[in-house]
Amino acid sequence: MTTKKQIKQLLEAVASRHDDLIVRGPFIVLAPLQHVLRSISIDRSWNADYPRFYWHIGHAFNPTGSLQGLCPDIFWLPKEGPRFWSDSGFTEAVVETLERRILPMLRRVRSIEDMFRVEGEPRSYEYDNWLNHYEPYQIHMHAAFGRFDEAAVVYEKIKDWHLMMKNGRQPEFKYASQLGALVAAQDREAVVSLLHDWEEDFARRKDLLPIYERTPFPLELQP
């Protein structure tokens, strides 16, 4: 139970009902992909008959980003209904939950600003922590919004950290320092170009070019 085949069949059953959904591995991804990645995934649990369901939101201009967004945020099927693969009506219960609760919430998150006001399902402390306090993402967000002074403060704090790091977070701090250096130099054109390059690379790496739409960052819309 909870095999790749089961997950694929269930996700495809959901995606077939909506024009703005595509399946990529164990994920459903919402279209269009602009600056924000929105997805849903199914995973195994301790019980082979009992899958776990997650929603994900993240920024597509993250050079090390994945379809998992900032983090997995779990959601549950209703307690009074089927919750196991072997239960009668399980697929229907999943479809109803996604269509009634999860997809409407994700569809409301279209802009970078919307990432800070996700509503409809409880978002975790982990989501808020990554979004608001993780230094590389702070630099990404401040740069995208054109808040160069705020980005520069974070950059000055972490600009050399990647030179001493030997863990999996090292690339994230290295890329953040690359962006931070452009911000500190007040090079708006280079910042915009790098953010778009990161975003398009993300769409390419994750096979999302068919739903990717290049759109201006808030920075570009400022006088």
Side-chain angles (χ1 to χ4, degrees):
M1 290 295 199
T2 312
T3 63
K4 290 182 180 180
K5 182 178 179 181
Q6 281 178 307
I7 292 171
K8 185 173 186 288
Q9 289 177 338
L10 180 51
L11 294 181
E12 288 181 345
V14 175
S16 67
R17 298 163 57 94
H18 301 271
D19 292 338
D20 64 342
L21 303 180
I22 63 172
V23 177
R24 292 294 184 266
F27 292 85
I28 283 177
V29 182
L30 278 73
L33 174 68
Q34 295 175 344
H35 301 313
V36 183
L37 176 281
R38 303 157 298 163
S39 64
I40 296 164
S41 67
I42 304 175
D43 203 353
R44 299 175 175 86
S45 74
W46 70 93
N47 184 335
D49 196 30
Y50 183 55
R52 289 275 185 104
F53 298 91
Y54 300 92
W55 60 264
H56 315 276
I57 294 172
H59 55 302
F61 50 100
N62 178 1
T64 61
S66 74
L67 295 184
Q68 209 172 65
L70 297 183
C71 67
D73 265 300
I74 196 166
F75 65 92
W76 309 97
L77 300 183
K79 292 182 178 179
E80 63 274 12
R83 305 180 77 188
F84 295 87
W85 289 106
S86 56
D87 287 341
S88 176
F90 174 75
T91 297
E92 292 77 11
V94 174
V95 171
E96 181 181 1
T97 296
L98 293 179
E99 293 184 335
R100 181 170 54 87
R101 286 169 37 203
I102 308 303
L103 288 173
M105 179 267 289
L106 292 177
R107 286 180 177 129
R108 290 193 293 270
V109 183
R110 295 292 296 270
S111 68
I112 307 171
E113 293 90 342
D114 293 336
M115 292 179 63
F116 293 85
R117 48 176 182 260
V118 178
E119 297 177 355
E121 290 287 323
R123 68 179 191 241
S124 64
Y125 169 81
E126 185 180 6
Y127 175 92
D128 283 327
N129 188 56
W130 287 117
L131 182 63
N132 294 297
H133 303 296
Y134 185 52
E135 291 91 350
Y137 297 169
Q138 286 182 300
I139 292 178
H140 299 170
M141 294 296 173
H142 288 323
F145 283 121
R147 300 192 294 247
F148 280 20
D149 289 345
E150 294 173 69
V153 170
V154 182
Y155 168 64
E156 287 299 323
K157 173 185 174 183
I158 62 96
K159 63 181 181 181
D160 295 326
W161 288 7
H162 68 280
L163 300 175
M164 299 171 286
M165 297 176 72
K166 298 184 183 300
N167 58 35
R169 297 292 176 194
Q170 191 271 350
E172 297 174 355
F173 282 83
K174 180 179 178 180
Y175 284 119
S177 290
Q178 178 188 5
L179 178 61
L182 299 177
V183 167
Q186 296 289 313
D187 192 338
R188 291 170 62 94
E189 183 176 338
V191 168
V192 168
S193 178
L194 184 59
L195 291 175
H196 278 297
D197 286 348
W198 283 353
E199 196 170 77
E200 291 170 13
D201 181 66
F202 173 80
R204 189 176 301 108
R205 286 188 291 108
K206 301 305 175 184
D207 191 22
L208 298 177
L209 286 176
I211 65 169
Y212 173 62
E213 295 179 1
R214 181 181 172 114
T215 54
F217 285 95
L219 165 64
E220 297 176 81
L221 302 177
Q222 296 171 359

